[in-house]
Amino acid sequence: QVQLVESGGGEVQAGGSLRLSCAASGTNFRIGAVAWYRQAPGKERELVAQWDSAIPEYGDSVKGRFTLSRDRAKNTVSLQMNSLLPEDTAIYYCNARLAKLNSPDYWGQGTQVTVSS
């Protein structure tokens, strides 16, 4: 059974950094298209960053502060978050398809990020 497992969430002060990781288990296929979403209390789910072409793309609210990277050997995708703001507080979800034909979408369980002012 394929699972996406997120890690790296936590609490940090404004201006700090966190690194989230998304690992695929239960498969020999590497992670293909990937995206990170976040959802704050009382708000709709927001696309933070995605990478399904040559270069990653970022939402306007995180551009210049967040960076996606891949570790193909570990089959993980990481989201480096710098200069964090209180408004970045949310549950962050990894969404990915495997690099194979007709892969379904997979979702991680979510990881809480809390930024205090």
Side-chain angles (χ1 to χ4, degrees):
Q1 183 179 358
V2 178
Q3 286 186 316
L4 295 181
V5 181
E6 297 131 340
S7 60
E11 185 167 354
V12 65
Q13 288 191 330
S17 299
L18 284 173
R19 185 179 181 88
L20 306 182
S21 289
C22 176
S25 64
T27 179
N28 291 325
F29 290 94
R30 63 178 177 83
I31 293 175
V34 63
W36 284 91
Y37 290 82
R38 67 186 181 188
Q39 188 164 21
K43 294 188 176 181
E44 292 187 353
R45 188 167 290 190
E46 174 191 8
L47 176 62
V48 174
Q50 63 180 350
W51 195 348
D52 61 1
S53 59
I55 59 172
E57 299 173 340
Y58 302 93
D60 288 341
S61 62
V62 306
K63 205 171 291 183
R65 300 188 295 122
F66 290 12
T67 305
L68 279 172
S69 62
R70 293 181 184 267
D71 184 332
R72 296 190 185 279
K74 295 181 180 179
N75 203 19
T76 61
V77 176
S78 295
L79 182 68
Q80 178 67 40
M81 306 186 296
N82 298 328
S83 302
L84 284 161
L85 304 169
E87 48 263 45
D88 293 320
T89 296
I91 299 175
Y92 284 69
Y93 297 91
C94 177
N95 167 248
R97 295 193 300 273
L98 301 178
K100 67 172 186 176
L101 195 63
N102 297 325
S103 169
D105 265 346
Y106 296 98
W107 287 88
Q109 79 284 1
T111 185
Q112 177 71 47
V113 170
T114 302
V115 184
S116 57
S117 57

